[in-house]
Amino acid sequence: MSKISSTFLLYFIQKRFLNTVSSSTLPLPSVSTIEFLKNSCGLACQTLQIDEKNSHKYEAIIGFFKSHGFDNSQIAKLVSTRPWVLRSRVSNNLKPKFEFLEEIGIVGPLLPKVILSNPRILQTSLDSQLKPSFCFIKGILESDEQVTFAICRSSWLLTADFKGTMQSNINVLVREGVSSRNIAKLIVLQPRAIMQKVDRMVYAVKTVKELGIEPNAHMFVHAVRVMVSMNDSTWKKKINVLKSLGWSEKEIFAAFKRDPLCLVCSEEKMRDVADFCFNTAKLDPGTVISYPKFFMCALDKRLRPRYKVVEVLKAKNLLKKNKKIAWVLLQGERNFVENYVLKHLDDIPYLMDMYRGNVAAETRSVL
């Protein structure tokens, strides 16, 4: 991996995953450790018969977690759901595993996030499971940065059956002719895909091929990623939603081949996006099915704000009449802001405020 791509990947890890970590840090408890545990961790701690005799041990464990970036709310969450952690040995169990995670790039706020998402890491053997799992994944992804990214997406990679399930799923893809590069892409983007039951992977590969996407195609792993993420019932429901909007199976599958991720969103979102496209943006069904990316866009954070900008530009005669609205709504964020917001601030000073959702600016735009 090049230096630039490694830097970008690490930046994306921080941006994508640290947003999910609680930013609120409870103040240090003024009460004793025993009272803190009983008050914060509820019934879960009662099963351990919390008492003063073991307070020094609890203090050592809580102190260890705090020294590795856990705040009180995260410790309370961990102990509440996994009270056995208070019986762990710091030197023999916790310390070696934390050191391992830090060595492979799970550092800073990422560390609590990974542990909380999969506390089983603290129960699993370091030498027979965690380290071999890391080596197995790294052998496919070839860089620590990619492995870190994949583990942050699904920390269960470290505790899953890498010799059985994961290897078998990879073998299925290899036999079908999927390149090692695309297999790596699948693991980075959707690690859970290779942790599914093998028969599910076989079915997904078979279905995707029947839809006309070949294993050597760029979209193949994305299509497999979607297929293994839902059962047959969910798949049929989503297809039926699109049919109810007036599209044929041929059109739906053509859209799926262009961008498989369009079927990842919920049925409710499909209906909401279609309602916006047809009734607000006045797009015809053929246009929408030609741009399946619509179903992947955030309705309130992207499509609606952009449409408001477009309407103002049209009202001020600042938008070319032959400009395709669908194409404008789906542009990259930087291009949209530069070409349709910043470019027109001299004529419409409130345009950026309106795009960002300022109510006063929106009211002004219709005066």
Side-chain angles (χ1 to χ4, degrees), residues 211 248-259 289 292:
L211 291 176
S248 66
E249 277 195 1
K250 183 178 180 180
E251 289 174 317
I252 295 168
F253 294 147
F256 180 73
K257 288 173 67 175
R258 281 195 297 274
D259 207 328
I289 204 69

Side-chain angles (χ1 to χ4, degrees), residues 101-363:
L101 291 174
E102 290 173 337
E103 286 173 2
I104 65 174
I106 311 296
V107 296
L110 285 174
L111 187 58
K113 187 266 177 186
V114 168
I115 295 295
L116 288 170
S117 66
N118 183 14
R120 189 180 175 188
I121 290 172
L122 302 181
Q123 284 183 301
T124 304
S125 171
L126 179 60
D127 293 324
S128 63
Q129 177 65 43
L130 299 182
K131 287 183 177 180
S133 292
F134 174 79
C135 291
F136 174 80
I137 304 246
K138 185 176 179 179
I140 302 169
L141 303 185
E142 299 182 348
S143 80
D144 288 357
E145 291 88 355
Q146 286 184 323
V147 179
T148 300
F149 185 89
I151 291 172
C152 286
R153 287 191 73 90
S154 179
S155 56
W156 292 92
L157 280 172
L158 288 174
T159 55
D161 179 13
F162 67 92
K163 292 181 180 179
T165 303
M166 289 199 287
Q167 182 63 69
S168 297
N169 280 324
I170 289 172
N171 290 342
V172 170
L173 296 172
V174 171
R175 285 197 299 269
E176 291 293 338
V178 181
S179 67
S180 58
R181 185 174 187 177
N182 282 339
I183 292 174
K185 182 187 297 182
L186 176 63
I187 296 174
V188 169
L189 296 176
Q190 188 65 33
R192 289 183 179 272
I194 65 162
M195 292 185 275
Q196 301 286 333
K197 293 181 178 179
V198 180
D199 58 353
R200 185 66 198 169
M201 177 64 77
V202 171
Y203 172 79
V205 168
K206 179 175 179 291
T207 303
V208 170
K209 288 175 64 179
E210 289 175 349
L211 291 176
I213 307 177
E214 294 301 320
N216 60 354
H218 170 70
M219 286 295 175
F220 185 81
V221 291
H222 295 290
V224 168
R225 168 187 173 187
V226 173
M227 290 300 302
V228 298
S229 70
M230 65 182 83
N231 56 37
D232 294 344
S233 175
T234 302
W235 170 263
K236 290 176 181 177
K237 286 179 181 178
K238 292 186 178 185
I239 299 300
N240 287 335
V241 167
L242 294 178
K243 282 184 177 179
S244 72
L245 299 173
W247 295 311
S248 66
E249 277 195 1
K250 183 178 180 180
E251 289 174 317
I252 295 168
F253 294 147
F256 180 73
K257 288 173 67 175
R258 281 195 297 274
D259 207 328
L261 296 181
C262 68
L263 290 184
V264 168
C265 66
S266 68
E267 299 152 51
E268 180 182 5
K269 184 182 178 182
M270 285 182 174
R271 293 190 180 93
D272 289 342
V273 169
D275 178 69
F276 164 82
C277 290
F278 300 154
N279 299 319
T280 301
K282 306 300 181 183
L283 302 175
D284 61 85
T287 297
V288 178
I289 204 69
S290 297
Y291 293 94
K293 189 177 179 180
F294 269 116
F295 295 105
M296 299 156 56
C297 294
L299 195 54
D300 294 322
K301 293 184 178 180
R302 182 168 184 172
L303 296 180
R304 287 198 174 105
R306 289 189 175 194
Y307 183 72
K308 290 174 182 176
V309 169
V310 168
E311 286 296 282
V312 171
L313 295 179
K314 286 168 64 177
K316 301 286 186 180
N317 293 318
L318 294 172
L319 190 70
K320 294 180 180 179
K321 293 183 178 180
N322 62 347
K323 182 69 69 174
K324 292 184 178 180
I325 301 303
W327 184 80
V328 174
L329 295 176
L330 295 175
Q331 279 196 25
E333 179 67 10
R334 176 179 292 181
N335 285 339
F336 180 84
V337 171
E338 288 181 354
N339 295 321
Y340 298 97
V341 180
L342 298 179
K343 182 179 178 180
H344 300 290
L345 288 182
D346 288 341
D347 297 305
I348 314 173
Y350 58 84
L351 197 58
M352 179 61 81
D353 287 336
M354 191 191 71
Y355 181 54
R356 291 175 174 171
N358 184 297
V359 176
E362 291 181 17
T363 301

Side-chain angles (χ1 to χ4, degrees), residues 27-40 59:
L28 292 173
S30 57
V31 296
S32 70
T33 298
I34 301 299
E35 290 175 316
F36 166 66
L37 291 172
K38 288 181 177 179
N39 295 336
S40 302
E59 288 172 0

